Structure formats: structure tokens, C-alpha cells
Amino acid sequence: MPEALLAVRDLEAFYGDFQALFGVSIEVARGEAVAVIGANGAGKSTLLKSIAGLLRARTDAITFAGEPIGGMPAFAVAARGIALVPEGRGLFPSLSVEENLTDVKFADPPHRCAGGGEDAEPTTTLRRR
């Protein structure tokens, strides 16, 4: 079996002292589509926030394309092509869904940012309407 493109191994996640995830593991192969389903409060959003770098994780708990990304800040994870797009939050309510997804970009393409590491700074570019 080929190496997983995204692998989560024994992930634990916390909100302060409250532990929300206990030893979650999942693998996603290149080209595979995976749905995360469960009841409210089951940890779906916490799992996705951890993968996207919005919650801290052990360095080795999450790998993408063979590289550990656990514990990286969200902008460094996004530079590798992984991001969490919250639904129903109206980030830029005057923009369409497509504009919200395409108009906020990093200055460098992801393949150039990937080597930037945790010290790389994000640059946001907004197009005026």
C-alpha cells in the first residue's frame, strides 16, 4: 500500500485542560475522498482544526506528503495546501463563495512557501472590487 498523503496518528487535542480528542488516527491516500461524520461534540471540527494548524498537535501526530506538520502554525500548513474553510461565517460577506476562496492568497505559491518553515510570514493580498 502506498504511503498516505495525509496521516493522523494517535492525535490528542485539548481546549485548555479539557481533552477533546483521544488517540484519533486516520489516513488519506492521494486521490481519495474522505468524509468525517459524527454527532455534535464528537470532535469533527477539532480534528480538522488540528490538521489545519489551528490547534497545537504533537509534531509527529500529523504528516502530509511524508513531512510532519503537527504543531505548525496555520499559515505554514496552508502554504502546503491544507486549509480549513468554515461554513456560514461570512468571512468577507460582500464577496461570493468563489471570491472568498480565491481572492485571499499567499504572496508565494505553496511550492515555494513549503520550505519556509515556522518562521515564514504569511502575506495576504486582497483584490479591490
Side-chain angles (χ1 to χ4, degrees):
M1 179 175 210
E3 184 178 344
L5 179 61
L6 175 69
V8 177
R9 293 189 179 85
D10 297 319
L11 177 66
E12 296 182 342
F14 296 83
Y15 293 99
D17 290 336
F18 174 75
Q19 186 169 358
L21 297 180
F22 296 80
V24 174
S25 297
I26 186 171
E27 289 191 354
V28 181
R30 186 176 303 279
E32 184 177 30
V34 174
V36 179
I37 59 173
N40 289 345
K44 303 175 300 291
S45 294
T46 301
L47 170 63
L48 297 175
K49 287 176 184 177
S50 296
I51 293 170
L54 298 169
L55 290 175
R56 293 299 256 182
R58 282 186 347 269
T59 301
D60 63 343
I62 305 168
T63 60
F64 179 68
E67 275 187 61
I69 62 168
M72 282 186 177
F75 71 84
V77 175
R80 286 159 175 77
I82 299 175
L84 179 63
V85 180
E87 59 88 21
R89 301 296 193 272
L91 297 176
F92 296 99
S94 65
L95 302 180
S96 70
V97 171
E98 181 179 7
E99 289 168 330
N100 266 284
L101 294 173
T102 60
D103 286 1
V104 179
K105 302 175 186 173
F106 285 93
D108 292 322
H111 69 276
R112 288 185 44 209
C113 290
E118 293 189 25
D119 295 330
E121 289 296 324
T123 303
T124 304
T125 305
L126 293 176
R127 185 183 71 201
R128 285 199 160 274
R129 291 183 96 189

